[in-house]
Amino acid sequence: MTKIIVLCEGDTEELAVRHFIVRQWKSDGLGSVGLATRNLDGKPQNAGKFAAGYLDDQEVLAVFTLIDLQGNNQVVHQPQDELEVRVQRVRNWLRAQVGHPRAHQFFPHLSVHETEAWILAEGHALARRLKDPDILPDPKAEAKNFQNPPSKRLNELFLKLKKTRYNKVIDGAPLFKAMQFTPVYDSCKYFRAFYDDLKKAARFQ
């Protein structure tokens, strides 16, 4: 079976692919191409090594990354840098890691600023989990700043409403399972670019 590999920075990204993206992938009739993940355990600097290994396999159509922009200390940004400049700089850094004849089938993508932004963008699953109808979808979730990143905002909501901290696995899995795809796709342009590139890689095999 042909497949696409997604190199995930950590547990949250892996859960998002498995429970949120794969569901839509099958709904879009793309299930004949597998979506497989590899957890980088918080070490995006290893992406190039893993990508090269997977690209050696002719059944692998493409290798993608799903790396958080927030917290990436491998690339130095300036305070005045625009968001798009920061994103492109990290993508270029990831791309430069892959010296392989099939490097054109490596697609570095980022979660902006963290995968948890998708949970905030969708909103409905979070409102149900925290039993708070006042939580609404945040169409600008991707654009929120580094000083108060998505996981921190989620943690604040959980502490306020549930008296417990947000747990990326215990809470993340059911949230990603329950989330609707369209609000995230429509409001998060970096997520939309990631998913659209996945579809292109699957269709132009």
Side-chain angles (χ1 to χ4, degrees):
M1 180 183 185
T2 57
K3 58 189 173 183
I4 294 171
I5 306 295
V6 183
L7 302 176
C8 299
E9 181 167 331
D11 294 336
T12 308
E13 292 76 20
E14 198 166 23
L15 289 169
V17 172
R18 194 183 311 150
H19 297 306
F20 179 57
I21 294 170
V22 168
R23 173 164 34 97
Q24 186 65 31
W25 189 252
K26 291 175 180 176
S27 177
D28 286 341
L30 296 165
S32 61
V33 175
L35 272 188
T37 59
R38 173 68 184 248
N39 195 323
L40 295 174
D41 294 321
K43 296 177 181 176
Q45 64 270 26
N46 290 337
K49 175 182 70 176
F50 286 119
Y54 284 116
L55 289 169
D56 283 338
D57 183 348
Q58 293 304 309
E59 287 199 344
V60 172
L61 298 178
V63 177
F64 281 67
T65 65
L66 195 51
I67 304 294
D68 287 347
L69 178 61
Q70 166 72 22
N72 186 301
N73 57 10
Q74 308 290 323
V75 180
V76 178
H77 304 290
Q78 300 304 316
Q80 70 274 16
D81 286 342
E82 297 289 335
L83 177 58
E84 184 57 39
V85 171
R86 294 171 186 250
V87 170
Q88 198 56 51
R89 186 178 288 126
V90 178
R91 292 187 74 186
N92 290 343
W93 167 74
L94 287 162
R95 199 174 280 116
Q97 293 185 37
V98 183
H100 193 278
R102 295 178 64 203
H104 61 286
Q105 288 164 301
F106 174 67
F107 299 89
H109 278 273
L110 307 180
S111 302
V112 179
H113 289 280
E114 293 176 309
T115 319
E116 282 85 2
W118 307 346
I119 297 171
L120 293 164
E122 197 267 354
H124 303 294
L126 182 63
R128 288 194 298 273
R129 185 155 185 86
L130 292 178
K131 298 180 174 59
D132 185 351
D134 291 333
I135 296 174
L136 300 173
D138 181 358
K140 296 182 178 179
E142 268 192 338
K144 297 298 173 67
N145 64 33
F146 280 89
Q147 286 68 43
N148 193 22
S151 59
K152 184 178 177 184
R153 295 202 300 280
L154 275 180
N155 201 44
E156 289 168 354
L157 283 169
F158 270 76
L159 285 170
K160 176 184 174 184
L161 297 168
K162 212 177 174 189
K163 310 305 180 195
T164 182
R165 298 181 67 83
Y166 165 70
N167 183 289
K168 292 191 174 192
V169 176
I170 294 170
D171 298 303
L175 283 167
F176 285 121
K177 285 178 183 177
M179 281 164 51
Q180 301 170 51
F181 184 83
T182 302
V184 184
Y185 183 83
D186 286 350
S187 68
C188 297
K189 75 171 190 175
Y190 293 102
F191 171 76
R192 185 163 61 249
F194 168 70
Y195 191 73
D196 286 351
D197 275 358
L198 280 175
K199 288 196 294 184
K200 286 178 192 172
R203 285 170 173 160
F204 296 108
Q205 44 185 298

